[in-house]
């Protein structure tokens, strides 16, 4: 053990900051966290040995350098995102005598820009996807390679700003939108385009290089399960590759790394066309940093990539050669996002009211959240990663599903149920993967995750009503007229709750207590069943008609959050008076157009009074540099325009109202409960 650092600053937040801190702690190295005001009290701040506040956020180069110097750090680990691929930062570290735990600035520069990266590796003999790049004429290139084409920001990452153009007519508009995102997200409007390969596989190779000329690879990761060009499930090894293809792709990746004098851990990404069996894959880009999905490689190789990064940065030679790399078993990772798959995977947000993360054998959870964490729109909506290992692929998939089932996040809508549906898809279990799979199967996956119609199973509103009933009874205390089950004439009275799900469906639930016999509950028109509720710490155990189940449970204002099997439900009592007309408030049908996510209005494309047709773009809302076009729900007139360009909006905030006729009086959601006999 040479390692010369005794203190390392971690210039990141969330799960990756915690991941790096974990290895530092194991190596006996002091860790220094940095944090923005939004993250004061975050887990990475609590778990580091020291922490420094950043006035201007995680991209403030000079402040991070100051923090490193003040805390006595010799090195800075940038994680991924933020400063990880900033050559300016890497250079400033060197000037200040700090070691940047990453490749040399020249290698980052050569690979940070997709156009230059492709030219460099192509010159080294690595196959690249045919295409064209600016300052060349993109229309001319598209006509040469043929439509459809994929437009990408040259400086891009995270799948942002990538758009498909299907025809020459469509291209100018696609270029305009991609350019806007490229400039906003990456500060560089330069675009390239490539032949759009239909439903390819994304297979990437992890490489490791030291400063002594040794370059090895640690095998591949298959990352073909993507939404919006971003990975959500990754595995190692790939079910597709045979030994020979793995060897060829590994050799291409090593050649790509050598072509830029690479040092450190990096990933060379390839796409493999489904219709070219035996093709080793086209290079698409190299990520010059630790990647989100690095844990699957760690689990099959038994190596700690962060430790190896630190050792290489300290000048040590790689402790292993290519022949020492052994792949053992199979690992699969699922990314848990604060997003709603049924709303086009748009980011959600909220406060984590309760959290359960599994700790079973063969399961690793890299998480950045804790109870109390507020998930806003300032940062990437990835909350955690759940990773499972087993001797074979089927075992790893089963363990991962069980781990997701045991994960509960109350207070924030997540994609966990969708991930579970995806893991159960027959093509996924068979290893027939492709980057188009999620899009092609979206309806079936959503139905498997959320049921058809989207309504929660009846035991959810039943349990919520029992929780509310229990609270009302406790609050009523001694006043006999306030007790919800007050005896009327002859028998206990029913309390009716009109409950709404987060999606706006409403369901009436009746409850009445039966002394010494628990209670009775009836959901909708269904007959009443015997019920019993026991409340524990953060959970409720409910028995309905003899069947006992457990939900995790938390309250947030009027909302009752219930979680089970990786799903969570927010149930909100509605004022009973407007039942009937309230179902679907904010949904299609009432002409009210709401923001599908917390974000900022980027562009407003209509004016009040303008006649619009169904599906016509009304405005663009942006969050985390992701654009979402909000369209008219029906033909009509823009009766109201509630926002301006530049204005921040909450999720579900009213953006506009589109109507046929003059507006009538709108009704808002009120929260209250009606009690009384029935
Ligand atoms: P990976 O490539 O490691 O699998 P992602 O593509 O999902 O992971 O990106 C990881 C994080 O880094 C995300 O927060 C993403 O927005 C951010 N990111 C990736 N590339 C860039 C970039 N070039 N500039 C800024 N942020 C980036
Ligand atoms: P980013 O820097 O945003 O990660 P990439 O170039 O790595 O961008 O591409 C992200 C994803 O987009 C890939 O994993 C793949 O699914 C898809 N993709 C990239 N290039 C192509 C292409 N030429 N044809 C089809 N899909 C592609
Ligand atoms: Mg990529």
């Amino acid at each position: 053990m040479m390692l010369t650092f005794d203190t390392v600053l971690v210039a990141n937040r969330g799960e990756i900051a915690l991941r790096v801190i974990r290895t530092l702690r194991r190596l006996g190295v002091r860790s220094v966290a940095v944090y923005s005001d939004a993250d004061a009290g975050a887990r990475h701040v609590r778990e580091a040995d020291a922490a420094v506040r950043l006035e201007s956020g995680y991209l403030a180069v000079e402040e991070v350098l100051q923090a490193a110097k003040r805390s006595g750090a010799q090195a800075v680990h940038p994680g991924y995102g933020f400063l990880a691929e900033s050559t300016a930062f890497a250079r400033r570290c060197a000037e200040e005598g700090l070691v940047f735990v990453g490749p040399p600035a020249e290698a980052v520069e050569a690979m940070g820009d997709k156009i230059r990266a492709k030219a460099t590796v192509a010159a080294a003999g690595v196959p690249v996807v045919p295409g064209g790049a600016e300052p060349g004429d993109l229309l001319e290139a598209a006509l040469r390679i043929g439509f459809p084409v994929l437009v990408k920001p040259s400086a891009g990452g995270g799948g942002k700003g990538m758009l498909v153009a299907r025809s020459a007519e469509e291209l100018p508009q696609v270029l305009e939108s991609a350019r806007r995102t490229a400039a906003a997200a990456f500060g560089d409007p330069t675009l390239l385009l490539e032949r759009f390969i239909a439903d390819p596989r994304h297979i990437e190779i992890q490489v490791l290089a030291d400063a002594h000329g040794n370059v090895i690879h640690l095998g591949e990761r298959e990352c073909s399960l993507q939404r919006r060009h971003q990975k959500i499930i990754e595995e190692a090894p790939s079910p597709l590759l045979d030994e020979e293809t793995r060897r060829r792709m590994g050799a291409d990746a090593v050649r790509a790394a050598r072509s830029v004098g690479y040092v450190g851990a990096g990933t060379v990404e390839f796409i493999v066309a489904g219709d070219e069996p035996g093709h080793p894959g086209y290079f698409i880009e190299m990520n010059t940093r630790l990647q989100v999905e690095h844990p699957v490689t760690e689990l099959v190789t038994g190596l700690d990539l962060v430790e190896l990064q630190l050792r290489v940065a300290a000048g040590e030679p790689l402790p292993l050669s290519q022949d020492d790399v052994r792949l053992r078993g199979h690992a699969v990772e699922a990314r848990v996002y604060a997003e709603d798959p049924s709303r086009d995977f748009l980011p959600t947000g909220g406060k984590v009211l309760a959290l359960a993360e599994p700790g079973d054998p063969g399961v690793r959870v890299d998480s950045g959240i804790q109870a109390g964490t507020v998930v806003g729109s300032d940062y990437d909506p990835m909350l955690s990663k759940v990773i499972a290992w087993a001797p074979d692929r089927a075992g790893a998939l089963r363990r991962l599903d069980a781990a997701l089932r045991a994960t509960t996040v109350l207070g924030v809508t997540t994609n966990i149920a969708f991930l579970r549906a995806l893991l159960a898809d027959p093509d996924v279990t068979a290893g027939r993967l492709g980057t188009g799979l999620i899009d092609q199967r979206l309806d079936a996956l959503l139905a498997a995750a959320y049921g058809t119609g989207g309504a929660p199973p009846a035991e959810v509103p039943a349990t919520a009503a029992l929780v509310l009933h229990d609270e009302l009874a406790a609050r009523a205390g001694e006043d006999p007229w306030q007790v919800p089950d007050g005896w009327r004439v002859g028998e206990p009275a029913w309390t009716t709750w009109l409950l709404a799900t987060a999606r706006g469906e409403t369901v009436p639930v009746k409850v009445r207590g039966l002394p010494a016999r628990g209670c009775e509950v009836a959901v909708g028109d269904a007959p009443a069943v015997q019920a019993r509720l026991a409340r524990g710490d953060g959970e409720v155990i409910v028995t309905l008609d003899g069947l006992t189940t457990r939900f995790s449970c938390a309250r947030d204002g009027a909302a009752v959050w219930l979680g089970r099997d990786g799903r969570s439900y927010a149930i909100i009592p509605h004022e009973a008076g407007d039942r009937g007309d309230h179902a679907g408030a904010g949904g299609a049908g009432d002409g009210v157009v709401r923001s599908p996510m917390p974000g900022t209005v980027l562009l407003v494309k209509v004016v009040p009074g303008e006649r619009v047709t169904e599906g016509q773009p009304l405005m663009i809302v942006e969050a985390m540099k992701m654009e979402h076009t909000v369209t008219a729900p029906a033909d009509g007139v823009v009766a109201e325009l509630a926002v301006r360009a530049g204005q921040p909006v909450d999720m579900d905030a009213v953006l506009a109202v589109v109507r046929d006729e003059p507006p009538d009086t709108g009704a808002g959601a009120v929260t209250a409960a009606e009690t009384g006999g029935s």
Side-chain angles (χ1 to χ4, degrees):
M1 145 94 40
M2 271 160 52
L3 207 64
T4 44
F5 309 134
D6 66 58
T7 304
V8 173
L9 182 133
V10 183
N12 215 299
R13 64 183 300 280
E15 67 88 18
I16 194 61
L18 283 148
R19 161 71 193 89
V20 175
I21 290 168
R22 209 172 309 137
T23 288
L24 291 171
R25 193 183 295 149
R26 188 172 60 73
L27 296 175
V29 177
R30 277 181 73 233
S31 56
V32 181
V34 287
Y35 61 96
S36 65
D37 285 342
D39 280 339
R43 240 177 99 185
H44 76 280
V45 179
R46 284 205 344 221
E47 292 192 22
D49 293 304
V52 181
R53 173 177 170 265
L54 299 174
E55 180 124 17
S56 319
Y58 296 95
L59 286 166
V61 170
E62 295 306 318
E63 276 191 73
V64 172
L65 294 171
Q66 273 306 315
K69 304 200 90 171
R70 267 187 62 200
S71 57
Q74 296 90 32
V76 179
H77 194 302
Y80 54 71
F82 297 118
L83 298 172
E85 287 159 281
S86 160
T87 50
F89 181 66
R91 293 212 164 90
R92 285 289 294 122
C93 283
E95 283 165 18
E96 297 296 328
L98 287 162
V99 174
F100 173 74
V101 182
E106 297 71 35
V108 178
E109 206 146 67
M111 290 296 189
D113 154 10
K114 288 187 174 45
I115 296 172
R116 197 170 140 197
K118 284 178 72 176
T120 307
V121 306
V126 179
V128 299
V129 194
E134 290 179 329
D137 182 347
L138 293 183
L139 176 61
E140 186 269 322
L143 291 170
R144 177 168 40 79
I145 59 173
F147 286 91
V149 294
L150 184 64
V151 175
K152 302 181 180 183
S154 185
K160 288 173 189 169
M162 291 181 36
L163 293 171
V164 178
R166 309 217 163 256
S167 64
E169 293 69 55
E170 215 176 271
L171 189 64
Q173 207 192 328
V174 166
L175 291 175
E176 180 201 309
S177 172
R179 198 179 306 289
R180 197 165 52 226
T181 306
F186 309 111
D188 177 355
T190 314
L191 302 176
L192 70 155
L193 60 75
E194 290 178 349
R195 175 184 297 158
F196 180 65
I197 298 176
D199 200 16
R201 300 177 78 122
H202 173 119
I203 296 180
E204 58 186 34
I205 307 282
Q206 176 72 53
V207 297
L208 264 182
D210 64 21
H212 309 278
N214 305 303
V215 186
I216 63 171
H217 72 86
L218 304 181
E220 79 283 3
R221 292 184 287 259
E222 160 104 41
C223 312
S224 299
L225 294 176
Q226 309 183 343
R227 54 103 185 87
R228 215 186 285 116
H229 304 299
Q230 193 181 41
K231 309 147 188 170
I232 54 175
I233 291 186
E234 303 105 335
E235 61 184 294
S238 163
L240 182 73
L241 293 199
D242 53 34
E243 233 4 274
E244 170 58 15
T245 318
R246 174 172 300 122
R247 206 189 47 73
R248 275 158 63 197
M249 291 183 76
D252 277 347
V254 167
R255 198 139 21 99
R258 282 197 192 281
S259 74
V260 294
Y262 203 79
V263 177
T267 297
V268 183
E269 295 190 334
F270 296 90
I271 51 175
V272 179
D275 52 3
E276 289 180 55
H279 191 284
Y282 295 112
F283 170 96
I284 48 173
E285 67 161 344
M286 178 168 187
N287 289 318
T288 55
R289 55 177 161 90
L290 192 66
Q291 243 168 319
V292 173
E293 58 275 20
H294 76 278
V296 293
T297 298
E298 295 188 320
L299 292 184
V300 296
T301 59
L303 299 168
D304 178 334
L305 285 171
V306 173
E307 174 178 354
L308 290 165
Q309 285 187 298
L310 291 164
R311 292 193 178 283
V312 163
E316 293 181 30
L318 285 179
L320 75 172
S321 70
Q322 190 65 59
D323 288 342
D324 299 325
V325 177
R326 292 271 177 282
L327 304 182
R328 218 186 115 250
H330 204 99
V332 189
E333 170 182 282
R335 300 190 189 189
V336 176
Y337 278 96
E339 69 182 18
D340 187 346
S342 63
R343 281 183 167 197
D344 205 15
F345 299 96
L346 290 177
T348 56
K351 181 174 175 180
V352 179
L353 305 169
L355 176 69
E357 294 177 325
D360 301 311
V363 173
R364 163 174 164 180
V365 180
D366 283 16
S367 170
I369 56 170
Q370 59 192 356
T373 298
V374 175
V375 181
S377 58
D378 294 343
Y379 303 113
D380 191 271
M382 195 179 80
L383 303 177
S384 68
K385 306 177 309 205
V386 182
I387 315 111
W389 181 93
D392 60 23
R393 185 169 187 270
L397 289 172
R398 258 198 318 274
R399 269 189 179 160
L400 180 58
D401 183 61
L404 289 169
R405 196 170 63 225
T407 304
T408 312
V409 185
L410 296 188
V412 179
T413 296
T414 72
N415 63 339
I416 294 173
F418 184 82
L419 292 169
R420 292 193 59 208
L422 191 54
L423 291 174
D425 180 278
D427 277 345
V428 173
T429 55
R432 289 187 297 266
L433 308 173
T435 59
L437 187 146
I438 290 178
D439 267 353
Q440 290 151 17
R441 301 278 260 262
L442 194 58
D443 291 342
L445 292 168
L446 290 173
Y450 304 108
T452 38
E459 65 263 31
V460 172
T463 304
L466 291 168
V467 168
L468 291 165
H469 191 78
D470 183 56
E471 288 174 3
L472 198 60
R475 260 205 317 276
E478 295 303 296
D479 180 353
W481 296 106
Q482 292 298 314
V483 175
D485 307 318
W487 287 76
R488 304 292 190 265
V489 187
E491 60 167 10
W494 289 98
T495 304
T496 301
W497 303 82
L498 187 65
L499 300 180
T501 68
R503 266 160 241 265
E505 303 104 4
T506 50
V507 55
V509 185
K510 292 192 301 184
V511 184
R512 68 171 170 183
L514 300 173
R517 285 190 290 134
C519 20
E520 277 187 311
V521 58
V523 177
D525 301 330
V529 297
Q530 289 282 316
R532 199 176 282 278
L533 181 82
R535 300 188 75 164
D537 186 22
E539 64 174 19
V540 293
I541 295 160
V542 64
T543 304
L544 293 168
D545 202 13
L547 182 66
T548 301
T549 49
R550 181 189 305 262
F551 285 93
S552 40
C553 177
R555 298 298 316 273
D556 183 22
V560 180
W561 279 83
L562 295 173
R564 193 179 66 187
D565 295 342
R567 279 201 66 179
S568 63
Y569 309 88
I571 303 289
I572 302 157
H574 262 229
E575 168 146 306
D578 57 358
R579 86 178 54 165
D581 354 302
H582 225 103
D590 61 357
V592 178
V593 180
R594 293 173 190 272
S595 180
M597 59 181 178
T600 305
V601 178
L602 200 64
L603 268 183
V604 178
K605 301 189 163 203
V606 290
V607 292
E610 188 171 335
R611 184 149 279 287
V612 292
T613 53
E614 184 181 335
Q616 180 178 334
L618 300 177
M619 60 188 77
I620 296 175
V621 177
E622 179 229 68
M624 285 164 282
K625 312 297 177 206
M626 224 153 40
E627 293 188 2
H628 182 78
T629 303
V630 175
T631 57
D635 294 356
V637 167
V638 180
E640 237 176 80
L641 201 53
V643 293
R644 283 169 286 106
Q647 184 174 328
V649 287
D650 289 332
M651 182 156 156
D652 289 327
V654 174
L655 301 175
V657 180
V658 174
R659 280 212 183 83
D660 257 353
E661 299 152 45
D664 53 17
T665 49
V670 191
T671 57
E674 175 208 48
T675 68
S678 74

